[in-house]
Amino acid sequence: MKQKPVILTKKTLDKDLDKVTHVEDASKFVAKTLVSPGLGLIFLGLAALWASTYAFGQPGAVVIVIAAAIAAYMAMNIGANDVTNNVGAAVGARAITMTQALVLAAIFEILGATIGGNDVVKTISSDIVDIVAIPKAHVTWIMMASLAAAAIWVNLATWFNAPVSTTHAIVGAVIGAGLAAQGVSAVQWPVVLEITSAWVTSPLLGGLVAAALLYFIKTFILYRDDKISAAKRWIPVLIGLMGGGFTSYMILQLTSSGSLSSLTILALGVVGGIACWGISRPIVRREAAGLENRNSSLRVLFRFPLIGSAALLSFAHGANDVSNAVGPLSAIVRVTEGDHLHQHGPAQFWTLLIGALGISVGLLLFGPRLIRLVGEQITKLNPMRAYCVALSTAITVIVASWLGLPISTTHIAVGSVFGVGFFREWYTRHSKRRLDYIRRRAQEWQIDEPPNPDQYEVGRRRLVRRSHFMTIVGAWTITVPVAAVLSACLYWFMTFVFL
């Protein structure tokens, strides 16, 4: 029997090349995960450099530069954790892509923060703790510890995919550092009570407004025999109401206090609303051309108002939540410049810009994971329901920003999502209009009448995922005490080292 030839060589080259290839693939994967943190560090350095150009030659310049870097870090965490609520509904409804949503939110966040951010910044920087009664040096470290504690906690929450409230974090941190510095007397408890009451009512209000909008859409558009005609009539009206409210808010922000009467502002808002209604009518009619009389056609028609409401919500969020990063920084700048007695002075524009850019950078680098959680995993959203969520949140946040209340956009957005989900559950089981509509359609299609919805396993097929509800509520509950304790510890450490 012929023996096989003995192979005296080893195919080590191919094996070694394969190993090198695997190492390169692993390196690329690891490097990819480090790109976002690396770009974030670059932004922190640029923020510190930007602050140094304003603080150069002034007393406390080093403190201002460090505070600016921490504020930029906090702003990035806000963008990564909080701004997802603005566009999560639109992405979940597939009205816009992830990239389009990120760009849209970044632009309008910057506009909102720079145009309308001053009122809430004043509350965070000077109304929660009495900075006049506290020694100047201690105010600096109270705000520095608050910034660091809130940023660390929000960063951890983002890492664990928990959409916590950055407003809760910064308010809790300021309270904790104030208590550590001067005890109970340092905190202005009436202001804290006002803020916390807004935290309780705002998500309920957001949920109610979202449910009311969805009820209107279902009643006047969805369960009509001619859906397309109803949509062409009412969608421009909804866009006009949205545009009119935003016009009034912009006029309030861009004009000096008391320069225009309430009646004038209302009239200008009506004019803006009519203009938006007139502009949107031909657009909606053009999009409706050739569409079938089906629910899927309504999803196409609601994409345009949904994108507008997402932009409006991003603007409102920038106006309200930029204070979570800029408020403490503004207080530090005023104190180091010897102007801390002027509590209610406007925030410096360069500090607002750091907050606005930081929010946008955080959103672009770290936001997509939570966008998917809020927009896709809590309750299934189509453009109609997503529009209700975005618009109700925007309305509530705009009203709060106008009043100077640092409310939680996360609270309101998630509350609106749950409001829509719970309303759908109730409406599916109890709406006579819906049942009559289904019966008529069944007769037209000559099919058996559908069974009563109560016969289904409603508990098993609920539209809102309760597990996410409990997770989010748990994250909200612990945010204030955790941020307060962490801030107090950081304050004691900072004063021990630097004072």
Side-chain angles (χ1 to χ4, degrees), residues 148-163:
I152 291 170
W153 171 244
V154 174
N155 197 345
L156 290 174
T158 304
W159 180 263
F160 289 107
N161 278 351

Side-chain angles (χ1 to χ4, degrees), residues 399-446:
V399 171
S401 300
W402 179 35
L403 298 174
L405 293 174
I407 60 170
S408 168
T409 308
T410 306
H411 253 66
I412 303 168
V414 178
S416 299
V417 171
F418 280 113
V420 164
F422 288 133
F423 172 77
R424 288 179 62 211
E425 292 181 0
W426 176 87
Y427 195 86
T428 299
R429 293 193 297 266
H430 298 96
S431 173
K432 293 182 179 179
R433 174 183 292 276
R434 175 182 177 277
L435 188 58
D436 291 341
Y437 174 84
I438 292 176
R439 285 171 175 166
R440 290 199 312 271
R441 303 301 285 182
Q443 292 174 359
E444 293 175 7
W445 298 333
Q446 296 182 351

Side-chain angles (χ1 to χ4, degrees), residues 119-141:
D119 290 336
V120 189
V121 168
K122 295 175 186 176
T123 301
I124 295 293
S125 64
S126 58
D127 290 349
I128 296 177
V129 295
D130 189 357
I131 66 172
V132 175
I134 299 174
K136 177 180 176 180
H138 290 273
V139 172
T140 298
W141 297 114

